[in-house]
Amino acid sequence: MLRVLCLLRPWRPLWARGCASDGAAGGPEIQVRALAGSNQGITEILMNRPRARNALGNVFVSELLEALAQLREDRQVRVLLFRSAVKGVFCAGADLKEREQMSEAEVGVFVQRLRGLMNDIASSAILGLIETTRGLLPGAGGTQRLPRCLGVALAKELIFTGRRLSGTQAHALGLVNHSVAQNEEGDAAYHRARALAQEILPQAPIAVRLGKVAIDRGMEVDIASGMVIEGICYAQNIPTRDRLEGMAAFREKRPPKFVGE
């Protein structure tokens, strides 16, 4: 069991203007905190919409987009974790009750925003699967991400049936990287995610960022074009102080001290 962490700063609320929140005790649906000590550089986004099981509604999406926009400009953030404040729930997917009250035009705008959000956080296509059980086509990218993860045949089976998967099943299919047994506190997955974040944390932040760009953009094109994208990213990393520090640390047989420059 990991010990309770001291906070570098407390949960920071991010409000969506002119909207009522469904968060616990009238609080914001999305909250942000940065961890301290050996975890400095890890920032958490807390999803706090208990009555709707963290479903993706207008306020929730607005606050999450605002949080991501702010964090994108924060150079202190090395790793970002998404965490649920609702015990036993991560995210229920689209808020279909709210969507039912929207006009067709409003639905189109909302789904477009949601698709952009999913691209931002590179979320699993599994969030869209339950829509097929409500007469909807996955509209936030599920029809595109899932075939890329699992192949066309299995993606069609899951989307056409609207089948819900357990964590163990998702892991067996390769849809998620890790599946862990639940603990008494109900936060075993969070602790596994934070352990993974601690592995990423000491790596050179520019190299990690450019690696992510190379992988994400490369998966959208043929392999020859992907190699070009990798070359562009690699060239951007060459003149960084972190690369020189990494080479020096290797030569001097010491841990590197990366600064993100």
Side-chain angles (χ1 to χ4, degrees):
M1 176 62 65
L2 297 177
R3 291 182 293 180
V4 176
L5 297 169
C6 296
L7 302 185
L8 181 65
R9 55 182 181 264
W11 288 110
R12 289 193 282 115
L14 290 147
W15 297 91
R17 295 180 181 177
C19 297
S21 173
D22 185 42
E29 296 180 3
I30 296 297
Q31 301 172 27
V32 178
R33 74 172 176 180
L35 304 186
S38 63
N39 295 286
Q40 187 168 347
I42 300 175
T43 294
E44 298 180 350
I45 285 183
L46 184 76
M47 300 181 293
N48 178 42
R49 198 184 178 202
R51 290 195 292 274
R53 298 170 61 85
N54 289 339
L56 301 169
N58 260 318
V59 174
F60 186 98
V61 170
S62 295
E63 293 183 2
L64 186 49
L65 285 169
E66 183 183 348
L68 291 172
Q70 292 184 18
L71 293 171
R72 194 175 291 115
E73 304 302 321
D74 189 344
R75 294 187 61 188
Q76 301 303 312
V77 178
R78 299 283 186 91
V79 186
L80 183 61
L81 296 182
F82 285 79
R83 185 181 184 186
S84 173
V86 185
K87 190 172 183 179
V89 173
F90 182 72
C91 176
D95 187 336
L96 301 183
K97 291 182 179 179
E98 185 177 287
R99 190 176 298 184
E100 190 178 16
Q101 306 303 315
M102 297 180 184
S103 66
E104 290 186 13
E106 288 172 332
V107 169
V109 171
F110 178 74
V111 170
Q112 187 64 33
R113 293 175 68 224
L114 190 57
R115 189 177 293 122
L117 174 63
M118 296 298 103
N119 286 334
D120 276 350
I121 63 177
S123 74
S124 168
I126 199 170
L127 289 179
L129 295 184
I130 99 173
E131 293 195 353
T132 56
T133 67
R134 303 292 190 270
L136 296 172
L137 170 74
T143 63
Q144 301 306 304
R145 292 189 185 90
L146 200 60
R148 286 167 169 79
C149 291
L150 302 180
V152 172
L154 188 52
K156 285 182 176 180
E157 178 180 332
L158 294 176
I159 290 175
F160 294 171
T161 62
R163 185 182 305 149
R164 301 191 184 201
L165 302 176
S166 67
T168 301
Q169 290 171 324
H171 183 253
L173 292 176
L175 190 55
V176 298
N177 289 3
H178 306 279
S179 177
V180 295
Q182 189 58 281
N183 59 17
E184 293 182 3
E185 292 77 16
D187 60 357
Y190 164 67
H191 285 298
R192 182 64 188 90
R194 197 170 66 187
L196 179 58
Q198 289 169 333
E199 289 187 68
I200 298 171
L201 192 58
Q203 310 308 318
I206 295 176
V208 170
R209 182 169 68 248
L210 290 173
K212 181 179 179 182
V213 171
I215 293 170
D216 290 347
R217 297 293 178 263
M219 288 299 294
E220 298 171 355
V221 299
D222 61 88
I223 190 167
S225 300
M227 292 296 187
V228 173
I229 293 171
E230 182 188 271
I232 293 171
C233 291
Y234 187 82
Q236 292 180 57
N237 192 59
I238 290 296
T240 63
R241 288 176 57 188
D242 281 351
R243 185 189 72 86
L244 296 176
E245 165 62 13
M247 299 296 289
F250 177 77
R251 184 177 61 254
E252 298 165 10
K253 296 181 173 56
R254 61 172 175 80
K257 298 179 180 178
F258 297 121
V259 295
E261 297 179 359

